[in-house]
Amino acid sequence: MEAQLKLYNTLSRKKEVFQALNPPFVGLYVCGPTVYDEVHLGNLRQFTSFDIVYRYLSFLGYKVRYVRNITDVGHLSDDGDEGEDKIERKAKANKIEPMEIVQKYTNSFHHVAKLFNLIEPSIEPSATGHIVEQIEMVQRIIDNGYAYEVNGSVYFDVKKYLEKHDYGQLSGRKVEDLLEQTRDNLEGGDEKRFFADFGIWKAASPETIMKWNSPWGVGVPGWHLECSVMSTKYLGQEFDIHGGGMDLKFPHHECEIAQSVGADGKAPVRYWMHGNMLTVNGDKMSKSKGNAFLPMELFEGKHELLNKGFSPMVVRFFMLQTHYSSTLDFSNEALEASEKGYARLMNAYKLSATLPSSKQNTEETDKEILTLLDKLRLEMNDDFNTPKTIAVLFDLAALINKINDKSVFVSEAVLSKLQADMKSFVEDILGLHSETKDNNLAVDKLMELILEIRSSARENKDWPTSDKIRDHLAEAGIKIKDSKDGASWTMN
Ligand code: ZN
């Protein structure tokens, strides 16, 4: 395996990811969901990007410990530092226990993750399960002089930290800008000494439901703290890769660095990876704009912006057609194009298992295939470039079809390499599986046929037949929706 790792490091064009690793073991930490609501599509994209990182590093032979947390306390509104706990607010509104909210949305997150074929992390720790460790870390930061206590709350002392360290190294924020903002924003009566200071322990009010005893009184850990604690507890004080959405770079990840340096004198992460955001028809996806559909709404086509539903595997494939560091734009046209592309790729993949080999005239095709198989690795080594990897898979799909037509020929040895790599790259690395999709394809084709029959019945004003089809489908859990563009369907 050593040799193999060396080879991949040499092949890597963007070497920093691979050079950051500490073979053969790799620690990967990804900020998980705050379970106060259904997981949104932007989160799902981030988890998919790091699912690919996990899958590819495992394929290369690294032993990856993958930690993805569940935030079940401490995430306050907006930047995570002000206001009421998101979970608690929802629990109070519904008059139930915060842990009921946590359980409900953890379950539904796991359901979506399974549909999306995300590999389960090695450890999925929760913030409430690590209160003791969080209190200990706050104490270490205080002991080292990087935090101060006011009225039962503890704040990280950014000004003190700036004397020796760079707060802003990750996000590129400038100290001078922070100082500038301080003069504008420091209000009287604020417990913080400096506007950029952030809470690492918050005193609880009498109404707070989730709270714990600490040396500073009854309170709640700050949101940024849990990731510092859980990542280093399970991956060590210095670990390889920390991932998350771009929106977490500042303040969340910047604060994580400061906390670890403040507590243990070490910057925790060798390589940060940030995934980019989603847009819909070119607009930022947001609840207030009404264009933020949930994963299940996308799968079922239950949103006014969607012409129809798209299977989880099609959506996964669609996401992987854009590099994780670029913005991904959702539109009906783009999803429909991906649906066709996905079917084309999976058909070729299925076909690859049954191709004939030949004993002659194979030289040119063999060479072409081997070059493309090398290219698959080159593209993935290039900062996990899934769109280019998929493009190479399409080149291979074209060759597979030609071999099947017997217009070109492949030797037995190269064919078995091709078959093995198709499986590795399509199923193991990109995480696309054919079984469910094949069933869906069959259902899609059947429904197309049924809707066609129904539409011609309607053209002939044969209402009994049209109604019979609609009612029988409804009994089977399939709902037909008529609109001016024709009929569409959704399945329960
Ligand atoms: Zn985090």
Side-chain angles (χ1 to χ4, degrees), residues 31 227 252 256:
C31 291
C227 287
H252 187 56
E256 279 188 52

Side-chain angles (χ1 to χ4, degrees), residues 176 178-186 195:
E176 304 83 63
L178 288 173
L179 288 169
E180 196 57 45
Q181 286 177 50
T182 309
R183 273 177 233 124
D184 299 339
N185 291 341
L186 201 61
F195 121 93

Side-chain angles (χ1 to χ4, degrees), residues 427-440:
E427 286 200 33
D428 304 341
I429 296 168
L430 298 181
L432 303 168
H433 55 65
S434 49
E435 294 81 15
T436 327
K437 182 57 201 168
D438 284 348
N439 293 339
N440 286 351

Side-chain angles (χ1 to χ4, degrees), residues 4-12 15 18-19 62 381:
Q4 192 191 21
L5 293 176
K6 245 190 197 143
L7 174 69
Y8 286 116
N9 280 328
T10 321
L11 283 174
S12 176
K15 291 198 177 109
F18 294 95
Q19 282 178 347
Y62 292 100
N381 284 343

